Amino acid sequence: MQSAQHGQWLSVAILSAVAFALLVTPLLDGLVSRASEHAADRYAAAVGAGSELARALQVITEPSGRRHGVATRLLDRHPSVADRLARLDGHAAAPSG
């Protein structure tokens, strides 16, 4: 009897771990991807290509006017263009050194 209960507990633990991983993995993927995008934007600004990147982002982006919910923003792999442009503008205004 004790062995059967242990087997059930183990099954529940494994299924819980898999469910947790399925929920957390997309969130972590989005977080890492957005951080990488921001790092690439900082690099572009540092090498003097920030204004060109900002212009390119404005050209390739159509304003949709729709708002994203919290879940969508957490799962997005890319930061919003508005956020990227604001950061690029902040890097351009900051003194380099």
Side-chain angles (χ1 to χ4, degrees):
M1 182 70 169
Q2 199 173 26
S3 158
Q5 288 176 341
H6 178 70
Q8 288 176 340
W9 180 87
L10 186 59
S11 296
V12 169
I14 290 171
L15 288 175
S16 297
V18 169
F20 179 76
L22 289 173
L23 290 172
V24 171
T25 300
L27 296 173
L28 290 175
D29 180 51
L31 180 69
V32 169
S33 183
R34 288 188 306 274
S36 296
E37 290 274 349
H38 286 307
D41 292 349
R42 279 192 307 275
Y43 177 77
V47 298
S51 59
E52 290 85 358
L53 175 59
R55 280 195 297 276
L57 287 171
Q58 291 169 338
V59 168
I60 65 171
T61 305
E62 291 183 26
S64 65
R66 64 182 187 158
R67 296 178 55 122
H68 295 289
V70 173
T72 302
R73 285 182 298 202
L74 286 174
L75 294 172
D76 275 347
R77 295 190 49 122
H78 300 280
S80 71
V81 172
D83 182 39
R84 291 180 73 185
L85 292 172
R87 287 175 183 252
L88 283 169
D89 188 43
H91 290 300
S96 60

